[in-house]
């Protein structure tokens, strides 16, 4: 029998990425016994799995990092403005070592089932190793982009070459030298990987179903004067950013008027300024850029005009121009993505009409033509936000399965807890701002809220906490209404599960970070209003 079996602990944590690591640290500091389970061979979560060429964060390094330790903030030096995957993984391993978190993490272990025992008011947690542990609380730090959408192309098993998926990249380098490579997918991962693969591949064909908007990252070595300035007031810098719409500061210059309050020349100059600075600033070029459809169409037309300027072949440029508006899909940032299509050995294959028909022994068939390939790279995305949660068999009161309760879409309160599932908390779960924010500070906010709640329960003699059904129904309406005030519903996107066949079309994240933060604080101030404590 494994020594874990039958053990009673305070909190089980599922996952050891940014959320899981901080949850271990925070809950341990409050005196709780914790056990974290991580399916990978190392810590890091998203940054452990996504090792593809060009993998990089699209939030600035000085903001995409922990703020719980001032000493850590002051001592760590990021080499670039936007950090690469290897650097972020190095950082997370440093955090695990520095704060002695590894003794509380069991690697290469997946949680398969979690069952709530109504007699003991405890969760029975079962792993793929045959272990069972008992915990009063469970924290799902499973990540929003951790379950990859597996390639389901007919004939893949017949392919004679090698194939890879960006979200499950090998730990050792992949050599594309002299290879005929095909990349399927032009979301964020594909847009980052394509320029890097093009540097060594003999030929590169990009199979594009949906053209995406992308803006230059403007990456480069870290400006040490800028770094020193931030570090001189890091705490105040963080506090200001935590109250901004994305929980990060990507603004350029002072507050701006609305898009059509200025003439076309002034608008163009502002767009050019944001384009030149790089990053995600273009979405905030004017006060209404991300909210007003006409204003957003103006931004969209500007990016389309930049594609025409950059891409030399008119037909390729036309195919690369998205038909949707900039504000309704996840914005991407890149390094030389559009420029890559000017290289003689790189070509774009538009499969918007029929998609990739099938994979063959020698390559794949698209648009009725066989494309001979040595390597295929799938950048096909994720079963986002709920994917990892739904992979666990979770049964609450009355043996209710969470997957059954969520069969028409996730239902919970504040993205933190669902009725009939006491003491089961989600970090960056559906119904929270999560992927619409700078993830690290909003993860910290979630973990802080959960830890404070668990400590409150212990100190006041409560054994269970769960959302009230009316509170979660009201919250579901609030999430939908908030989404309707934005442009996120203007086209299909993975925020609504549109990339996964059969997944309910429900907008999952809550698109208003500052008001969410205030709501969470108000709930606590009112004695955990909307939750039942027993």
């Amino acid at each position: 029998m494994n020594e874990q079996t039958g053990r009673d602990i305070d909190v089980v944590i599922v996952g050891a990425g940014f959320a899981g690591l901080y949850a271990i640290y925070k809950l341990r500091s409050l005196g709780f016994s914790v056990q974290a389970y991580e399916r990978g061979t190392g810590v890091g979560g998203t940054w452990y799995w996504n090792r593809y060429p060009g993998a990089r964060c699209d939030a600035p390094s000085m903001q995409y990092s922990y703020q719980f330790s001032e000493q850590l903030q002051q001592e760590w030096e990021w080499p670039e403005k936007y950090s690469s995957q290897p650097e972020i993984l190095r950082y997370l391993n440093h955090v695990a070592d520095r704060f002695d978190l590894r003794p509380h993490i069991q690697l290469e272990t997946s949680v398969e089932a979690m069952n709530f025992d109504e007699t003991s008011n405890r969760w029975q947690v079962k792993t793929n190793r045959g272990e069972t542990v008992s915990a009063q609380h469970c924290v799902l730090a499973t990540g929003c982009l951790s379950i990859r959408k597996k390639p389901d192309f007919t004939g893949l098993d017949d392919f004679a070459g090698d194939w890879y998926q960006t979200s499950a990249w090998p730990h050792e380098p992949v050599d594309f030298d002299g290879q005929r490579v095909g990349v399927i997918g032009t979301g964020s991962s594909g847009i980052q990987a394509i320029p890097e693969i093009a540097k060594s591949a003999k030929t590169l064909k990009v199979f594009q179903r949906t053209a995406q908007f992308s803006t230059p990252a403007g990456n480069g070595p870290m400006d040490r004067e800028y770094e020193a300035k931030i570090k001189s007031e890091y705490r105040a810098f963080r506090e200001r950013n935590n109250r901004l719409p994305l929980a990060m500061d990507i603004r350029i210059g002072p507050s701006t008027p609305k898009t059509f309050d200025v003439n076309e020349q002034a608008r163009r100059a502002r767009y050019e300024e944001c384009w030149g600075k790089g990053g995600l600033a273009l979405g905030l070029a004017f006060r209404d850029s991300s909210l007003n459809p006409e204003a957003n169409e103006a931004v969209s037309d500007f990016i389309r005009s930049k594609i025409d300027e950059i891409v030399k072949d008119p037909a390729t440029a036309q195919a690369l121009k998205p038909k949707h508006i900039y504000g309704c899909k996840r914005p991407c940032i890149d390094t030389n993505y559009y420029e890559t299509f000017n290289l003689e050995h790189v070509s774009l294959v538009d499969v918007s009409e029929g998609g990739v028909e099938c994979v063959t022994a020698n390559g794949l068939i698209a648009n009725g033509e066989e494309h001979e390939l040595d390597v295929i790279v799938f950048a096909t995305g994720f079963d986002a936000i709920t994917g990892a949660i739904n992979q666990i068999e979770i049964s609450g009161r009355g043996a209710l399965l969470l997957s059954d309760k969520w069969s028409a879409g996730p239902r919970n309160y504040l993205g933190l807890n669902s009725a009939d599932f006491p003491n089961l908390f989600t970090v960056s779960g559906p119904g929270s701002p999560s992927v619409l924010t700078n993830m690290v500070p909003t993860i910290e906010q979630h973990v802080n809220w959960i830890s404070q709640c668990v400590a409150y329960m212990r100190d006041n003699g409560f054994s269970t906490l769960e959302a009230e059904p009316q509170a979660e129904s009201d919250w579901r309406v609030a999430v939908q209404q908030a989404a309707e005030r934005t442009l996120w519903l203007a086209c299909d996107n993975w925020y609504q599960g549109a990339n996964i066949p059969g997944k309910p079309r429900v907008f999952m994240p809550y698109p208003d970070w500052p008001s969410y933060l205030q709501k969470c604080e108000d709930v606590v101030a009112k004695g955990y209003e909307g939750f039942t404590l027993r």
Side-chain angles (χ1 to χ4, degrees), residues 70 92 138 195 396-397 400 486 528:
E70 183 63 20
L92 289 169
C138 294
R397 293 193 187 278
L400 174 64
T486 73
Y528 291 93

Side-chain angles (χ1 to χ4, degrees), residues 28 32-33 88 171 222 294 301 399 464 491:
R28 286 288 300 161
F32 293 99
S33 60
I88 297 172
H171 287 205
M222 177 63 69
E294 290 77 20
D301 283 341
T464 63
C491 63

